[in-house]
PDB file of all heavy atoms in Angstrom:
ATOM      1  N   GLU F 249      97.166 105.000 103.854  1.00 91.00           N
ATOM      2  CA  GLU F 249      97.199 105.328 105.232  1.00 91.00           C
ATOM      3  C   GLU F 249      96.303 106.503 105.509  1.00 91.00           C
ATOM      4  O   GLU F 249      95.530 106.582 106.525  1.00 91.00           O
ATOM      5  CB  GLU F 249      98.586 105.607 105.693  1.00 91.00           C
ATOM      6  CG  GLU F 249      99.464 104.371 105.760  1.00 91.00           C
ATOM      7  CD  GLU F 249      99.125 103.513 106.945  1.00 91.00           C
ATOM      8  OE1 GLU F 249      99.040 104.017 108.082  1.00 91.00           O
ATOM      9  OE2 GLU F 249      98.902 102.317 106.794  1.00 91.00           O
ATOM     10  N   GLN F 250      96.376 107.529 104.638  1.00 94.00           N
ATOM     11  CA  GLN F 250      95.558 108.759 104.808  1.00 94.00           C
ATOM     12  C   GLN F 250      94.049 108.430 104.643  1.00 94.00           C
ATOM     13  O   GLN F 250      93.204 108.976 105.373  1.00 94.00           O
ATOM     14  CB  GLN F 250      96.010 109.746 103.703  1.00 94.00           C
ATOM     15  CG  GLN F 250      95.276 111.105 103.853  1.00 94.00           C
ATOM     16  CD  GLN F 250      95.490 111.750 105.253  1.00 94.00           C
ATOM     17  OE1 GLN F 250      96.555 111.728 105.816  1.00 94.00           O
ATOM     18  NE2 GLN F 250      94.475 112.440 105.791  1.00 94.00           N
ATOM     19  N   LEU F 251      93.663 107.577 103.687  1.00 94.00           N
ATOM     20  CA  LEU F 251      92.317 107.179 103.535  1.00 94.00           C
ATOM     21  C   LEU F 251      91.747 106.544 104.787  1.00 94.00           C
ATOM     22  O   LEU F 251      90.617 106.840 105.287  1.00 94.00           O
ATOM     23  CB  LEU F 251      92.165 106.224 102.359  1.00 94.00           C
ATOM     24  CG  LEU F 251      92.288 106.789 100.927  1.00 94.00           C
ATOM     25  CD1 LEU F 251      92.266 105.661  99.900  1.00 94.00           C
ATOM     26  CD2 LEU F 251      91.220 107.802 100.626  1.00 94.00           C
ATOM     27  N   ALA F 252      92.573 105.679 105.361  1.00 95.00           N
ATOM     28  CA  ALA F 252      92.111 104.956 106.611  1.00 95.00           C
ATOM     29  C   ALA F 252      91.957 106.002 107.726  1.00 95.00           C
ATOM     30  O   ALA F 252      91.013 105.978 108.562  1.00 95.00           O
ATOM     31  CB  ALA F 252      93.122 103.933 107.025  1.00 95.00           C
ATOM     32  N   GLU F 253      92.887 106.929 107.811  1.00 94.00           N
ATOM     33  CA  GLU F 253      92.891 107.945 108.859  1.00 94.00           C
ATOM     34  C   GLU F 253      91.646 108.815 108.758  1.00 94.00           C
ATOM     35  O   GLU F 253      91.048 109.252 109.768  1.00 94.00           O
ATOM     36  CB  GLU F 253      94.187 108.868 108.792  1.00 94.00           C
ATOM     37  CG  GLU F 253      94.347 109.901 109.848  1.00 94.00           C
ATOM     38  CD  GLU F 253      94.656 109.313 111.246  1.00 94.00           C
ATOM     39  OE1 GLU F 253      95.167 108.125 111.284  1.00 94.00           O
ATOM     40  OE2 GLU F 253      94.345 110.025 112.217  1.00 94.00           O
ATOM     41  N   GLU F 254      91.254 109.147 107.511  1.00 95.00           N
ATOM     42  CA  GLU F 254      90.075 110.048 107.406  1.00 95.00           C
ATOM     43  C   GLU F 254      88.760 109.454 107.833  1.00 95.00           C
ATOM     44  O   GLU F 254      87.890 110.140 108.310  1.00 95.00           O
ATOM     45  CB  GLU F 254      89.982 110.414 105.897  1.00 95.00           C
ATOM     46  CG  GLU F 254      91.057 111.369 105.376  1.00 95.00           C
ATOM     47  CD  GLU F 254      91.035 111.614 103.895  1.00 95.00           C
ATOM     48  OE1 GLU F 254      90.225 111.031 103.200  1.00 95.00           O
ATOM     49  OE2 GLU F 254      91.950 112.334 103.439  1.00 95.00           O
ATOM     50  N   VAL F 255      88.687 108.074 107.694  1.00 96.00           N
ATOM     51  CA  VAL F 255      87.421 107.540 108.076  1.00 96.00           C
ATOM     52  C   VAL F 255      87.445 106.859 109.432  1.00 96.00           C
ATOM     53  O   VAL F 255      86.362 106.571 110.093  1.00 96.00           O
ATOM     54  CB  VAL F 255      86.911 106.398 107.012  1.00 96.00           C
ATOM     55  CG1 VAL F 255      86.545 107.077 105.694  1.00 96.00           C
ATOM     56  CG2 VAL F 255      87.947 105.344 106.819  1.00 96.00           C
ATOM     57  N   LEU F 256      88.668 106.542 109.934  1.00 95.00           N
ATOM     58  CA  LEU F 256      88.827 105.902 111.276  1.00 95.00           C
ATOM     59  C   LEU F 256      90.199 106.378 111.856  1.00 95.00           C
ATOM     60  O   LEU F 256      91.177 105.776 111.606  1.00 95.00           O
ATOM     61  CB  LEU F 256      88.711 104.387 111.111  1.00 95.00           C
ATOM     62  CG  LEU F 256      88.665 103.689 112.547  1.00 95.00           C
ATOM     63  CD1 LEU F 256      87.437 104.119 113.291  1.00 95.00           C
ATOM     64  CD2 LEU F 256      88.711 102.186 112.290  1.00 95.00           C
ATOM     65  N   PRO F 257      90.196 107.428 112.603  1.00 92.00           N
ATOM     66  CA  PRO F 257      91.456 107.978 113.111  1.00 92.00           C
ATOM     67  C   PRO F 257      92.202 106.939 114.066  1.00 92.00           C
ATOM     68  O   PRO F 257      91.579 106.099 114.608  1.00 92.00           O
ATOM     69  CB  PRO F 257      91.032 109.155 113.949  1.00 92.00           C
ATOM     70  CG  PRO F 257      89.655 109.588 113.370  1.00 92.00           C
ATOM     71  CD  PRO F 257      89.083 108.266 112.968  1.00 92.00           C
ATOM     72  N   ARG F 258      93.519 107.120 114.046  1.00 88.00           N
ATOM     73  CA  ARG F 258      94.322 106.171 114.840  1.00 88.00           C
ATOM     74  C   ARG F 258      93.873 106.274 116.280  1.00 88.00           C
ATOM     75  O   ARG F 258      93.688 107.295 116.823  1.00 88.00           O
ATOM     76  CB  ARG F 258      95.765 106.535 114.655  1.00 88.00           C
ATOM     77  CG  ARG F 258      96.731 105.578 115.347  1.00 88.00           C
ATOM     78  CD  ARG F 258      98.186 105.792 115.034  1.00 88.00           C
ATOM     79  NE  ARG F 258      99.018 104.754 115.615  1.00 88.00           N
ATOM     80  CZ  ARG F 258     100.311 104.699 115.431  1.00 88.00           C
ATOM     81  NH1 ARG F 258     100.970 105.627 114.677  1.00 88.00           N
ATOM     82  NH2 ARG F 258     101.024 103.754 116.009  1.00 88.00           N
ATOM     83  N   GLY F 259      93.806 105.008 116.919  1.00 87.00           N
ATOM     84  CA  GLY F 259      93.381 104.988 118.346  1.00 87.00           C
ATOM     85  C   GLY F 259      91.894 104.485 118.440  1.00 87.00           C
ATOM     86  O   GLY F 259      91.534 104.044 119.508  1.00 87.00           O
ATOM     87  N   GLU F 260      91.114 104.588 117.376  1.00 90.00           N
ATOM     88  CA  GLU F 260      89.769 104.181 117.412  1.00 90.00           C
ATOM     89  C   GLU F 260      89.621 102.745 116.753  1.00 90.00           C
ATOM     90  O   GLU F 260      90.174 102.559 115.725  1.00 90.00           O
ATOM     91  CB  GLU F 260      88.883 105.201 116.742  1.00 90.00           C
ATOM     92  CG  GLU F 260      88.795 106.545 117.343  1.00 90.00           C
ATOM     93  CD  GLU F 260      87.878 107.529 116.625  1.00 90.00           C
ATOM     94  OE1 GLU F 260      87.097 107.027 115.850  1.00 90.00           O
ATOM     95  OE2 GLU F 260      88.005 108.760 116.838  1.00 90.00           O
ATOM     96  N   GLU F 261      88.964 101.849 117.376  1.00 94.00           N
ATOM     97  CA  GLU F 261      88.657 100.513 116.840  1.00 94.00           C
ATOM     98  C   GLU F 261      89.949  99.956 116.190  1.00 94.00           C
ATOM     99  O   GLU F 261      89.946  99.750 114.965  1.00 94.00           O
ATOM    100  CB  GLU F 261      87.542 100.574 115.905  1.00 94.00           C
ATOM    101  CG  GLU F 261      86.241 101.078 116.420  1.00 94.00           C
ATOM    102  CD  GLU F 261      85.142 101.243 115.358  1.00 94.00           C
ATOM    103  OE1 GLU F 261      84.575 100.129 114.978  1.00 94.00           O
ATOM    104  OE2 GLU F 261      84.927 102.294 114.934  1.00 94.00           O
ATOM    105  N   PRO F 262      90.981  99.731 116.913  1.00 94.00           N
ATOM    106  CA  PRO F 262      92.268  99.371 116.299  1.00 94.00           C
ATOM    107  C   PRO F 262      92.300  98.130 115.375  1.00 94.00           C
ATOM    108  O   PRO F 262      93.023  98.077 114.394  1.00 94.00           O
ATOM    109  CB  PRO F 262      93.255  99.196 117.416  1.00 94.00           C
ATOM    110  CG  PRO F 262      92.375  98.998 118.613  1.00 94.00           C
ATOM    111  CD  PRO F 262      91.077  99.792 118.392  1.00 94.00           C
ATOM    112  N   LEU F 263      91.477  97.161 115.719  1.00 95.00           N
ATOM    113  CA  LEU F 263      91.476  95.913 114.908  1.00 95.00           C
ATOM    114  C   LEU F 263      90.696  96.099 113.624  1.00 95.00           C
ATOM    115  O   LEU F 263      91.065  95.654 112.522  1.00 95.00           O
ATOM    116  CB  LEU F 263      91.006  94.754 115.672  1.00 95.00           C
ATOM    117  CG  LEU F 263      91.469  93.352 115.188  1.00 95.00           C
ATOM    118  CD1 LEU F 263      92.927  93.332 114.977  1.00 95.00           C
ATOM    119  CD2 LEU F 263      91.035  92.240 116.237  1.00 95.00           C
ATOM    120  N   VAL F 264      89.599  96.897 113.738  1.00 96.00           N
ATOM    121  CA  VAL F 264      88.860  97.363 112.538  1.00 96.00           C
ATOM    122  C   VAL F 264      89.812  98.138 111.643  1.00 96.00           C
ATOM    123  O   VAL F 264      89.840  97.959 110.433  1.00 96.00           O
ATOM    124  CB  VAL F 264      87.643  98.137 112.863  1.00 96.00           C
ATOM    125  CG1 VAL F 264      87.046  98.775 111.623  1.00 96.00           C
ATOM    126  CG2 VAL F 264      86.634  97.329 113.690  1.00 96.00           C
ATOM    127  N   ARG F 265      90.582  98.977 112.286  1.00 95.00           N
ATOM    128  CA  ARG F 265      91.482  99.841 111.461  1.00 95.00           C
ATOM    129  C   ARG F 265      92.565  99.023 110.772  1.00 95.00           C
ATOM    130  O   ARG F 265      92.961  99.312 109.598  1.00 95.00           O
ATOM    131  CB  ARG F 265      92.115 100.865 112.423  1.00 95.00           C
ATOM    132  CG  ARG F 265      92.834 102.059 111.663  1.00 95.00           C
ATOM    133  CD  ARG F 265      93.172 103.187 112.621  1.00 95.00           C
ATOM    134  NE  ARG F 265      93.668 104.311 111.932  1.00 95.00           N
ATOM    135  CZ  ARG F 265      94.921 104.477 111.574  1.00 95.00           C
ATOM    136  NH1 ARG F 265      95.836 103.587 111.831  1.00 95.00           N
ATOM    137  NH2 ARG F 265      95.248 105.593 110.981  1.00 95.00           N
ATOM    138  N   LEU F 266      93.019  98.035 111.473  1.00 94.00           N
ATOM    139  CA  LEU F 266      94.070  97.135 110.861  1.00 94.00           C
ATOM    140  C   LEU F 266      93.425  96.389 109.635  1.00 94.00           C
ATOM    141  O   LEU F 266      94.061  96.342 108.516  1.00 94.00           O
ATOM    142  CB  LEU F 266      94.522  96.050 111.829  1.00 94.00           C
ATOM    143  CG  LEU F 266      95.473  95.016 111.341  1.00 94.00           C
ATOM    144  CD1 LEU F 266      96.770  95.654 110.761  1.00 94.00           C
ATOM    145  CD2 LEU F 266      95.823  93.990 112.431  1.00 94.00           C
ATOM    146  N   MET F 267      92.243  95.834 109.747  1.00 96.00           N
ATOM    147  CA  MET F 267      91.640  95.194 108.623  1.00 96.00           C
ATOM    148  C   MET F 267      91.274  96.203 107.553  1.00 96.00           C
ATOM    149  O   MET F 267      91.405  95.854 106.336  1.00 96.00           O
ATOM    150  CB  MET F 267      90.352  94.517 109.105  1.00 96.00           C
ATOM    151  CG  MET F 267      90.625  93.249 110.060  1.00 96.00           C
ATOM    152  SD  MET F 267      91.430  91.902 109.168  1.00 96.00           S
ATOM    153  CE  MET F 267      90.126  91.340 108.062  1.00 96.00           C
ATOM    154  N   LEU F 268      90.910  97.402 107.902  1.00 96.00           N
ATOM    155  CA  LEU F 268      90.508  98.428 106.936  1.00 96.00           C
ATOM    156  C   LEU F 268      91.773  98.754 106.139  1.00 96.00           C
ATOM    157  O   LEU F 268      91.678  98.885 104.849  1.00 96.00           O
ATOM    158  CB  LEU F 268      90.015  99.655 107.626  1.00 96.00           C
ATOM    159  CG  LEU F 268      89.879 100.875 106.764  1.00 96.00           C
ATOM    160  CD1 LEU F 268      88.789 100.658 105.635  1.00 96.00           C
ATOM    161  CD2 LEU F 268      89.424 102.125 107.630  1.00 96.00           C
ATOM    162  N   LYS F 269      92.905  98.949 106.741  1.00 94.00           N
ATOM    163  CA  LYS F 269      94.175  99.238 106.029  1.00 94.00           C
ATOM    164  C   LYS F 269      94.590  98.132 105.102  1.00 94.00           C
ATOM    165  O   LYS F 269      95.028  98.342 103.974  1.00 94.00           O
ATOM    166  CB  LYS F 269      95.289  99.492 107.013  1.00 94.00           C
ATOM    167  CG  LYS F 269      95.064 100.858 107.732  1.00 94.00           C
ATOM    168  CD  LYS F 269      96.304 101.365 108.451  1.00 94.00           C
ATOM    169  CE  LYS F 269      96.783 100.494 109.548  1.00 94.00           C
ATOM    170  NZ  LYS F 269      97.968 101.093 110.205  1.00 94.00           N
ATOM    171  N   TYR F 270      94.406  96.871 105.538  1.00 94.00           N
ATOM    172  CA  TYR F 270      94.600  95.759 104.598  1.00 94.00           C
ATOM    173  C   TYR F 270      93.752  95.719 103.416  1.00 94.00           C
ATOM    174  O   TYR F 270      94.162  95.465 102.228  1.00 94.00           O
ATOM    175  CB  TYR F 270      94.560  94.406 105.311  1.00 94.00           C
ATOM    176  CG  TYR F 270      95.908  93.936 105.890  1.00 94.00           C
ATOM    177  CD1 TYR F 270      96.246  93.926 107.225  1.00 94.00           C
ATOM    178  CD2 TYR F 270      96.852  93.366 104.935  1.00 94.00           C
ATOM    179  CE1 TYR F 270      97.464  93.458 107.668  1.00 94.00           C
ATOM    180  CE2 TYR F 270      98.090  92.904 105.389  1.00 94.00           C
ATOM    181  CZ  TYR F 270      98.380  93.006 106.817  1.00 94.00           C
ATOM    182  OH  TYR F 270      99.538  92.526 107.213  1.00 94.00           O
ATOM    183  N   LEU F 271      92.454  96.083 103.642  1.00 96.00           N
ATOM    184  CA  LEU F 271      91.466  96.103 102.514  1.00 96.00           C
ATOM    185  C   LEU F 271      91.872  97.186 101.528  1.00 96.00           C
ATOM    186  O   LEU F 271      91.839  97.049 100.355  1.00 96.00           O
ATOM    187  CB  LEU F 271      90.091  96.248 103.063  1.00 96.00           C
ATOM    188  CG  LEU F 271      88.971  96.365 102.038  1.00 96.00           C
ATOM    189  CD1 LEU F 271      88.971  95.124 101.135  1.00 96.00           C
ATOM    190  CD2 LEU F 271      87.590  96.478 102.768  1.00 96.00           C
ATOM    191  N   LEU F 272      92.086  98.389 102.071  1.00 96.00           N
ATOM    192  CA  LEU F 272      92.509  99.567 101.198  1.00 96.00           C
ATOM    193  C   LEU F 272      93.758  99.256 100.491  1.00 96.00           C
ATOM    194  O   LEU F 272      93.967  99.644  99.272  1.00 96.00           O
ATOM    195  CB  LEU F 272      92.569 100.790 102.031  1.00 96.00           C
ATOM    196  CG  LEU F 272      91.279 101.319 102.634  1.00 96.00           C
ATOM    197  CD1 LEU F 272      91.592 102.509 103.664  1.00 96.00           C
ATOM    198  CD2 LEU F 272      90.284 101.706 101.591  1.00 96.00           C
ATOM    199  N   TYR F 273      94.677  98.624 101.157  1.00 93.00           N
ATOM    200  CA  TYR F 273      95.978  98.240 100.598  1.00 93.00           C
ATOM    201  C   TYR F 273      95.784  97.260  99.392  1.00 93.00           C
ATOM    202  O   TYR F 273      96.336  97.501  98.352  1.00 93.00           O
ATOM    203  CB  TYR F 273      96.929  97.599 101.622  1.00 93.00           C
ATOM    204  CG  TYR F 273      98.299  97.319 101.105  1.00 93.00           C
ATOM    205  CD1 TYR F 273      99.305  98.262 100.955  1.00 93.00           C
ATOM    206  CD2 TYR F 273      98.638  95.972 100.793  1.00 93.00           C
ATOM    207  CE1 TYR F 273     100.557  98.020 100.542  1.00 93.00           C
ATOM    208  CE2 TYR F 273      99.945  95.659 100.379  1.00 93.00           C
ATOM    209  CZ  TYR F 273     100.852  96.713 100.262  1.00 93.00           C
ATOM    210  OH  TYR F 273     102.129  96.340  99.861  1.00 93.00           O
ATOM    211  N   ARG F 274      94.930  96.309  99.571  1.00 94.00           N
ATOM    212  CA  ARG F 274      94.596  95.411  98.477  1.00 94.00           C
ATOM    213  C   ARG F 274      93.990  96.135  97.305  1.00 94.00           C
ATOM    214  O   ARG F 274      94.501  95.963  96.169  1.00 94.00           O
ATOM    215  CB  ARG F 274      93.708  94.334  98.924  1.00 94.00           C
ATOM    216  CG  ARG F 274      93.055  93.462  97.834  1.00 94.00           C
ATOM    217  CD  ARG F 274      92.203  92.343  98.365  1.00 94.00           C
ATOM    218  NE  ARG F 274      91.356  91.728  97.366  1.00 94.00           N
ATOM    219  CZ  ARG F 274      91.844  90.825  96.413  1.00 94.00           C
ATOM    220  NH1 ARG F 274      93.053  90.487  96.412  1.00 94.00           N
ATOM    221  NH2 ARG F 274      90.973  90.368  95.478  1.00 94.00           N
ATOM    222  N   ARG F 275      93.084  96.996  97.574  1.00 94.00           N
ATOM    223  CA  ARG F 275      92.316  97.703  96.482  1.00 94.00           C
ATOM    224  C   ARG F 275      93.232  98.717  95.700  1.00 94.00           C
ATOM    225  O   ARG F 275      93.092  98.837  94.536  1.00 94.00           O
ATOM    226  CB  ARG F 275      91.022  98.300  97.043  1.00 94.00           C
ATOM    227  CG  ARG F 275      90.042  97.369  97.395  1.00 94.00           C
ATOM    228  CD  ARG F 275      88.793  97.950  97.926  1.00 94.00           C
ATOM    229  NE  ARG F 275      87.617  97.065  98.209  1.00 94.00           N
ATOM    230  CZ  ARG F 275      86.484  97.372  98.748  1.00 94.00           C
ATOM    231  NH1 ARG F 275      86.272  98.623  99.133  1.00 94.00           N
ATOM    232  NH2 ARG F 275      85.597  96.457  98.890  1.00 94.00           N
ATOM    233  N   ASN F 276      93.976  99.510  96.554  1.00 94.00           N
ATOM    234  CA  ASN F 276      94.768 100.594  95.928  1.00 94.00           C
ATOM    235  C   ASN F 276      96.127 100.274  95.586  1.00 94.00           C
ATOM    236  O   ASN F 276      96.741 101.082  94.813  1.00 94.00           O
ATOM    237  CB  ASN F 276      94.643 101.678  96.897  1.00 94.00           C
ATOM    238  CG  ASN F 276      93.252 102.312  97.171  1.00 94.00           C
ATOM    239  OD1 ASN F 276      92.601 102.752  96.170  1.00 94.00           O
ATOM    240  ND2 ASN F 276      92.814 102.185  98.339  1.00 94.00           N
ATOM    241  N   VAL F 277      96.696  99.167  96.072  1.00 92.00           N
ATOM    242  CA  VAL F 277      98.128  98.914  95.801  1.00 92.00           C
ATOM    243  C   VAL F 277      98.195  97.547  95.112  1.00 92.00           C
ATOM    244  O   VAL F 277      98.713  97.396  93.984  1.00 92.00           O
ATOM    245  CB  VAL F 277      98.997  98.950  97.022  1.00 92.00           C
ATOM    246  CG1 VAL F 277     100.432  98.746  96.747  1.00 92.00           C
ATOM    247  CG2 VAL F 277      98.782 100.262  97.783  1.00 92.00           C
ATOM    248  N   ILE F 278      97.823  96.480  95.777  1.00 91.00           N
ATOM    249  CA  ILE F 278      98.032  95.118  95.306  1.00 91.00           C
ATOM    250  C   ILE F 278      97.395  94.950  93.960  1.00 91.00           C
ATOM    251  O   ILE F 278      97.898  94.310  93.027  1.00 91.00           O
ATOM    252  CB  ILE F 278      97.510  94.132  96.327  1.00 91.00           C
ATOM    253  CG1 ILE F 278      98.276  94.162  97.601  1.00 91.00           C
ATOM    254  CG2 ILE F 278      97.508  92.720  95.717  1.00 91.00           C
ATOM    255  CD1 ILE F 278      97.725  93.297  98.712  1.00 91.00           C
ATOM    256  N   CYS F 279      96.210  95.402  93.757  1.00 92.00           N
ATOM    257  CA  CYS F 279      95.413  95.122  92.536  1.00 92.00           C
ATOM    258  C   CYS F 279      95.751  96.175  91.399  1.00 92.00           C
ATOM    259  O   CYS F 279      95.154  96.078  90.415  1.00 92.00           O
ATOM    260  CB  CYS F 279      93.912  95.156  92.887  1.00 92.00           C
ATOM    261  SG  CYS F 279      93.381  93.701  93.901  1.00 92.00           S
ATOM    262  N   ASP F 280      96.661  97.123  91.673  1.00 94.00           N
ATOM    263  CA  ASP F 280      97.046  98.032  90.666  1.00 94.00           C
ATOM    264  C   ASP F 280      98.178  97.444  89.951  1.00 94.00           C
ATOM    265  O   ASP F 280      99.166  97.125  90.451  1.00 94.00           O
ATOM    266  CB  ASP F 280      97.508  99.364  91.293  1.00 94.00           C
ATOM    267  CG  ASP F 280      97.765 100.401  90.233  1.00 94.00           C
ATOM    268  OD1 ASP F 280      98.184 100.061  89.076  1.00 94.00           O
ATOM    269  OD2 ASP F 280      97.681 101.645  90.617  1.00 94.00           O
ATOM    270  N   PRO F 281      98.037  97.294  88.587  1.00 92.00           N
ATOM    271  CA  PRO F 281      99.186  96.662  87.752  1.00 92.00           C
ATOM    272  C   PRO F 281     100.570  97.297  87.924  1.00 92.00           C
ATOM    273  O   PRO F 281     101.539  96.710  87.739  1.00 92.00           O
ATOM    274  CB  PRO F 281      98.658  96.782  86.260  1.00 92.00           C
ATOM    275  CG  PRO F 281      97.213  96.771  86.424  1.00 92.00           C
ATOM    276  CD  PRO F 281      96.957  97.619  87.733  1.00 92.00           C
ATOM    277  N   LEU F 282     100.536  98.625  88.298  1.00 94.00           N
ATOM    278  CA  LEU F 282     101.825  99.271  88.526  1.00 94.00           C
ATOM    279  C   LEU F 282     102.556  98.657  89.638  1.00 94.00           C
ATOM    280  O   LEU F 282     103.876  98.643  89.596  1.00 94.00           O
ATOM    281  CB  LEU F 282     101.522 100.796  88.820  1.00 94.00           C
ATOM    282  CG  LEU F 282     102.744 101.701  89.222  1.00 94.00           C
ATOM    283  CD1 LEU F 282     103.741 101.692  88.061  1.00 94.00           C
ATOM    284  CD2 LEU F 282     102.312 103.090  89.608  1.00 94.00           C
ATOM    285  N   PHE F 283     101.909  98.172  90.713  1.00 93.00           N
ATOM    286  CA  PHE F 283     102.674  97.685  91.840  1.00 93.00           C
ATOM    287  C   PHE F 283     102.592  96.135  92.021  1.00 93.00           C
ATOM    288  O   PHE F 283     103.370  95.601  92.813  1.00 93.00           O
ATOM    289  CB  PHE F 283     102.026  98.302  93.127  1.00 93.00           C
ATOM    290  CG  PHE F 283     102.088  99.778  93.151  1.00 93.00           C
ATOM    291  CD1 PHE F 283     100.947 100.521  92.867  1.00 93.00           C
ATOM    292  CD2 PHE F 283     103.279 100.378  93.356  1.00 93.00           C
ATOM    293  CE1 PHE F 283     101.013 101.900  92.877  1.00 93.00           C
ATOM    294  CE2 PHE F 283     103.390 101.830  93.348  1.00 93.00           C
ATOM    295  CZ  PHE F 283     102.206 102.575  93.087  1.00 93.00           C
ATOM    296  N   ALA F 284     101.715  95.462  91.300  1.00 90.00           N
ATOM    297  CA  ALA F 284     101.460  93.969  91.582  1.00 90.00           C
ATOM    298  C   ALA F 284     102.786  93.222  91.549  1.00 90.00           C
ATOM    299  O   ALA F 284     103.027  92.444  92.390  1.00 90.00           O
ATOM    300  CB  ALA F 284     100.395  93.465  90.655  1.00 90.00           C
ATOM    301  N   GLU F 285     103.508  93.381  90.473  1.00 91.00           N
ATOM    302  CA  GLU F 285     104.685  92.607  90.309  1.00 91.00           C
ATOM    303  C   GLU F 285     105.784  92.953  91.194  1.00 91.00           C
ATOM    304  O   GLU F 285     106.525  92.090  91.851  1.00 91.00           O
ATOM    305  CB  GLU F 285     105.279  92.737  88.829  1.00 91.00           C
ATOM    306  CG  GLU F 285     106.418  91.877  88.507  1.00 91.00           C
ATOM    307  CD  GLU F 285     106.914  92.022  87.101  1.00 91.00           C
ATOM    308  OE1 GLU F 285     106.439  92.945  86.359  1.00 91.00           O
ATOM    309  OE2 GLU F 285     107.849  91.281  86.761  1.00 91.00           O
ATOM    310  N   TYR F 286     105.909  94.271  91.456  1.00 90.00           N
ATOM    311  CA  TYR F 286     106.863  94.813  92.451  1.00 90.00           C
ATOM    312  C   TYR F 286     106.635  94.262  93.856  1.00 90.00           C
ATOM    313  O   TYR F 286     107.635  93.761  94.468  1.00 90.00           O
ATOM    314  CB  TYR F 286     106.815  96.302  92.459  1.00 90.00           C
ATOM    315  CG  TYR F 286     107.682  96.940  93.507  1.00 90.00           C
ATOM    316  CD1 TYR F 286     109.059  96.913  93.436  1.00 90.00           C
ATOM    317  CD2 TYR F 286     107.078  97.597  94.632  1.00 90.00           C
ATOM    318  CE1 TYR F 286     109.861  97.491  94.385  1.00 90.00           C
ATOM    319  CE2 TYR F 286     107.880  98.244  95.610  1.00 90.00           C
ATOM    320  CZ  TYR F 286     109.269  98.206  95.500  1.00 90.00           C
ATOM    321  OH  TYR F 286     110.031  98.792  96.422  1.00 90.00           O
TER     322      TYR F 286
END
C-alpha cells in the first residue's frame, strides 16, 4: 500500500491505482513463498 501511495497518491487516477496495487500485491505478496500457501 505504501509503495503504491509513493508513486500514485490516493485520489489520483483511481483505476490505475487499483491495478497498480494488484500488480504490486502479486509481485510482493502472492509470489513470495512465505505467503503463497497462506
